[in-house]
C-alpha cells in the first residue's frame, strides 16, 4: 500500500466505510500517517443528538448519539427517509455536561468538528472541541469571570482555511455591553480580545453561513453577521417578516437551510414561514454588495391542528427540496411542499432534561493536524437499544 502513488492510495482508501478507516489508522504509525491525508467523500448526512435525561443524571455526563439520514442522487421521498434513518449510535465522550440545567451544550458542527460549551462559574463556556469519530478532543482556555452569560459561535472560513470559536461575554443580566473574544484553532494559545459591542444577542448559538456567524439582535431586531475572515461585525438587511410584525406570540429563529441563511418565522396556530437570504453574486459581507441580496419566502407550512403550544423547528433541506424539521421538539418530521403534507418519521421520545439535535457529517478533519494539543478518547459505541 505504501508503494502506490498518493492519488491512487487516496482513491482506494476513500471508498472504505468511515468506521473502517478509523480502525485502520490504529494499525501502525505508518498507516496512521497514510490515512491522515485521505479525503473521502462522505455522502451521508446525519444528526448529532446531545441528550440529558430527567432524574438520576444530575452531575453526570450527558449522552451523545449519531444517526444517519442517507440521501440518493435521485432525490428523496418520505419512504426513503424512513427506511434510511438508522438507529442512533451512542458515542462516549469526556464529561462536559455536568451540572447543566436544561441548556443546549452544542455550539455547532462544522466539517465534522463539534464545539461544546462546558459549564463553570454559572456560565456556559465554549471550550471543548472534538471530532466524535476520530476520537480527538481538546479543551480551550476557560474565561475568568463570575456570573453573567456567554453567547457563542463556531465556524470555518474557506478563504483562510481557519476554524474559529467566538464567545461574547455579558457581565450582567442586561444585554448592555458584550466583550468579544476569538480563538483560532491551531494558531493561538489563548483567546484574543476584539473589543466591546452593544448588540443584544439571544442566548443561543450563532448560525454559520458562508463564512460568517449570524445572531439576532433582539433589541433592534437586526441580523448581525461576524465575518470569520476579517473579524468584523456587519448588519444584514432585514427580511420582510420583521417589518410586517406579527402577534405577541410570533417568534423568529435563524437557521441555515439548503446552504442559505434563513429566518424561520412562526405564527403559532397559523403557519411557519421560511425566508431565505439569496444573492445574485458570490456571498460577500461588504456593505456595497447588499444591493445584490434579497429575501424570499421559500416555504409556508400550515400549523397542524391550530394548537399554539406546538412547535416546528426546521433544520435541513433534502435534495428534493423537502424540509426536515423537529415537530414538538422530539418528533423527526418531513414537509413536502409539493403535496403540502407533514409526515412524522421518528419519535425520539420525551423525558429529557435537555434535548438538542443538529446536522452533522462525518469527517477526517484532525485537530492535531490543525496544530492543537489533543487527546484521544478511548471509547466504544453503543445503540439506543442497549438501554444505558
Amino acid at each position: 500500500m505504501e508503494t502506490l502513488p498518493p492519488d491512487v492510495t487516496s482513491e482506494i482508501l476513500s471508498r472504505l466505510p468511515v468506521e473502517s478507516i478509523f480502525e485502520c489508522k490504529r494499525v501502525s504509525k505508518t498507516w496512521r500517517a497514510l490515512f491522515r491525508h485521505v479525503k473521502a467523500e462522505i455522502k451521508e448526512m446525519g444528526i448529532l443528538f446531545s441528550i440529558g435525561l430527567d432524574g438520576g443524571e444530575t452531575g453526570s455526563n450527558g449522552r451523545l448519539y449519531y444517526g444517519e439520514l442517507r440521501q440518493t442522487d435521485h432525490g428523496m421521498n418520505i419512504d426513503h427517509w424512513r427506511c434510511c434513518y438508522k438507529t442512533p449510535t451512542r458515542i462516549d465522550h469526556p464529561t462536559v455536561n455536568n451540572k447543566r440545567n436544561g441548556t443546549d451544550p452544542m455550539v455547532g458542527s462544522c466539517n465534522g468538528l463539534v464545539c461544546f460549551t462546558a459549564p463553570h462559574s454559572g456560565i456556559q463556556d465554549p471550550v471543548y472541541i472534538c471530532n466524535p469519530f476520530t476520537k480527538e478532543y481538546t479543551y480551550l482556555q476557560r474565561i475568568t469571570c463570575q456570573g453573567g452569560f456567554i453567547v457563542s459561535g463556531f465556524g470555518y472560513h474557506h478563504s483562510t482555511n481557519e476554524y474559529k470559536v467566538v464567545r461574547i461575554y455579558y457581565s450582567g443580566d442586561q444585554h448592555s455591553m458584550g466583550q468579544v473574544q476569538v480563538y483560532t484553532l491551531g494558531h493561538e494559545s489563548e483567546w484574543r480580545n476584539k473589543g466591546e459591542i452593544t448588540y443584544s444577542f439571544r442566548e443561543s448559538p450563532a448560525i454559520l453561513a458562508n463564512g460568517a456567524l449570524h445572531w439576532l439582535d433582539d433589541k433592534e431586531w437586526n441580523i448581525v453577521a461576524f465575518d470569520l475572515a476579517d473579524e468584523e461585525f456587519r448588519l444584514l438587511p432585514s427580511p420582510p417578516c420583521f417589518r410586517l410584525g406579527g402577534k405577541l406570540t410570533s417568534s423568529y429563529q435563524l437557521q441555515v437551510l439548503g446552504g442559505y441563511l434563513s429566518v424561520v418565522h412562526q405564527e403559532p396556530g397559523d403557519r411557519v414561514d421560511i425566508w431565505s437570504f439569496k444573492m445574485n453574486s458570490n456571498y460577500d459581507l461588504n456593505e456595497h454588495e447588499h444591493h445584490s441580496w434579497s429575501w424570499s419566502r421559500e416555504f409556508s407550512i400550515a400549523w397542524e391542528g391550530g394548537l399554539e403550544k406546538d412547535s416546528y423547528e426546521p433544520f435541513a433541506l433534502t435534495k428534493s427540496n423537502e424540509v426536515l424539521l423537529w415537530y414538538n421538539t422530539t418528533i423527526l418530521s418531513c414537509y413536502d411542499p409539493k403535496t403540502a403534507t407533514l409526515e412524522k418519521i421518528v419519535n425520539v421520545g420525551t423525558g429529557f432534561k435537555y434535548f438538542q439535535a443538529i446536522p452533522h457529517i462525518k469527517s477526517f478533519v484532525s485537530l492535531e493536524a490543525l496544530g492543537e494539543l489533543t487527546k484521544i478518547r478511548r471509547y466504544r459505541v453503543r445503540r439506543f437499544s442497549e438501554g444505558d
Side-chain angles (χ1 to χ4, degrees):
M1 181 72 75
E2 294 88 343
T3 60
L4 294 175
D7 57 338
V8 175
T9 302
S10 180
E11 179 66 22
I12 294 173
L13 299 181
S14 67
R15 298 177 183 275
L16 292 175
V18 177
E19 289 79 4
S20 297
I21 293 181
F22 294 151
E23 292 300 321
C24 289
K25 291 176 69 175
R26 298 180 180 181
V27 173
S28 66
K29 291 183 179 180
T30 301
W31 276 51
R32 183 179 180 183
L34 186 66
F35 279 85
R36 179 173 295 176
H37 303 290
V38 175
K39 296 182 179 179
E41 292 294 329
I42 303 174
K43 305 254 182 220
E44 295 87 359
M45 180 184 73
I47 305 175
L48 200 62
F49 302 87
S50 184
I51 299 173
L53 300 181
D54 278 330
E57 291 226 2
T58 302
S60 64
N61 193 17
R63 299 181 178 183
L64 189 64
Y65 296 87
Y66 175 80
E68 287 184 355
L69 286 171
R70 293 185 177 178
Q71 301 188 63
T72 71
D73 294 332
H74 304 291
M76 190 59 62
N77 57 39
I78 298 298
D79 289 334
H80 285 147
W81 277 112
R82 185 178 292 110
C83 294
C84 294
Y85 179 78
K86 283 190 174 182
T87 300
T89 299
R90 183 177 174 182
I91 306 170
D92 293 337
H93 60 102
T95 301
V96 293
N97 300 332
N98 59 314
K99 299 181 181 179
R100 187 179 300 278
N101 296 316
T103 58
D104 293 337
M106 291 187 289
V107 177
S109 171
C110 183
N111 297 341
L113 298 181
V114 187
C115 179
F116 289 80
T117 60
H120 68 88
S121 305
I123 60 173
Q124 305 297 328
D125 200 358
V127 293
Y128 169 56
I129 300 175
C130 71
N131 185 323
F133 296 95
T134 64
K135 307 177 184 180
E136 280 187 322
Y137 68 95
T138 187
Y139 283 98
L140 309 183
Q141 182 183 24
R142 292 185 174 189
I143 196 169
T144 55
C145 64
Q146 292 290 333
F149 60 92
I150 288 177
V151 176
S152 55
F154 174 59
Y156 170 82
H157 200 289
H158 66 88
S159 69
T160 61
N161 193 31
E162 293 177 330
Y163 294 85
K164 295 182 180 181
V165 185
V166 179
R167 66 184 178 194
I168 305 171
Y169 173 66
Y170 294 90
S171 59
D173 295 333
Q174 301 297 322
H175 290 163
S176 56
M177 192 72 68
Q179 177 66 48
V180 182
Q181 296 185 336
V182 178
Y183 184 93
T184 304
L185 295 187
H187 293 271
E188 295 155 349
S189 58
E190 59 184 23
W191 295 79
R192 289 180 288 109
N193 288 319
K194 296 293 294 182
E196 296 181 328
I197 57 171
T198 57
Y199 298 120
S200 177
F201 294 151
R202 294 182 178 182
E203 293 183 59
S204 58
I207 296 300
L208 174 66
N210 302 292
L213 296 173
H214 300 81
W215 288 273
L216 274 176
D217 180 355
D218 283 343
K219 184 168 59 178
E220 301 294 337
W221 281 108
N222 288 320
I223 298 176
V224 183
F226 181 79
D227 191 326
L228 291 172
D230 63 18
E231 299 185 356
E232 295 290 337
F233 285 96
R234 296 181 176 90
L235 295 180
L236 269 63
S238 297
C241 57
F242 282 8
R243 298 192 297 269
L244 295 176
K247 305 175 185 178
L248 293 177
T249 56
S250 299
S251 66
Y252 304 93
Q253 178 187 8
L254 292 182
Q255 189 55 270
V256 58
L257 298 171
Y260 296 105
L261 179 68
S262 301
V263 170
V264 179
H265 172 205
Q266 297 196 44
E267 289 289 346
D270 184 10
R271 71 188 190 282
V272 180
D273 291 338
I274 299 177
W275 296 79
S276 295
F277 196 41
K278 297 185 176 181
M279 62 298 298
N280 299 321
S281 59
N282 291 330
Y283 191 95
D284 191 338
L285 285 176
N286 293 327
E287 292 291 341
H288 68 272
E289 292 290 342
H290 282 171
H291 67 274
S292 64
W293 303 359
S294 64
W295 288 96
S296 60
R297 185 165 58 182
E298 302 294 314
F299 302 92
S300 188
I301 305 173
W303 203 277
E304 284 197 354
L307 299 176
E308 293 191 3
K309 65 179 181 179
D310 291 347
S311 64
Y312 296 74
E313 302 173 40
F315 68 90
L317 297 182
T318 72
K319 290 185 177 180
S320 51
N321 207 39
E322 297 162 335
V323 183
L324 283 177
L325 58 89
W326 292 103
Y327 174 70
N328 286 346
T329 306
T330 58
I331 302 176
L332 178 61
S333 306
C334 187
Y335 174 76
D336 186 349
K338 296 178 181 178
T339 60
T341 56
L342 182 69
E343 294 286 340
K344 278 77 171 182
I345 303 174
V346 178
N347 189 342
V348 179
T350 58
F352 303 121
K353 185 178 180 181
Y354 60 82
F355 176 91
Q356 185 187 12
I358 60 175
H360 179 81
I361 295 178
K362 298 177 183 178
S363 83
F364 306 104
V365 174
S366 168
L367 289 165
E368 181 183 14
L370 291 174
E372 286 293 315
L373 295 176
T374 62
K375 297 181 180 180
I376 301 295
R377 175 69 170 178
R378 300 299 180 186
Y379 57 71
R380 67 186 182 95
V381 295
R382 289 169 285 186
R383 302 284 180 181
F384 266 134
S385 58
E386 292 190 44
D388 49 0

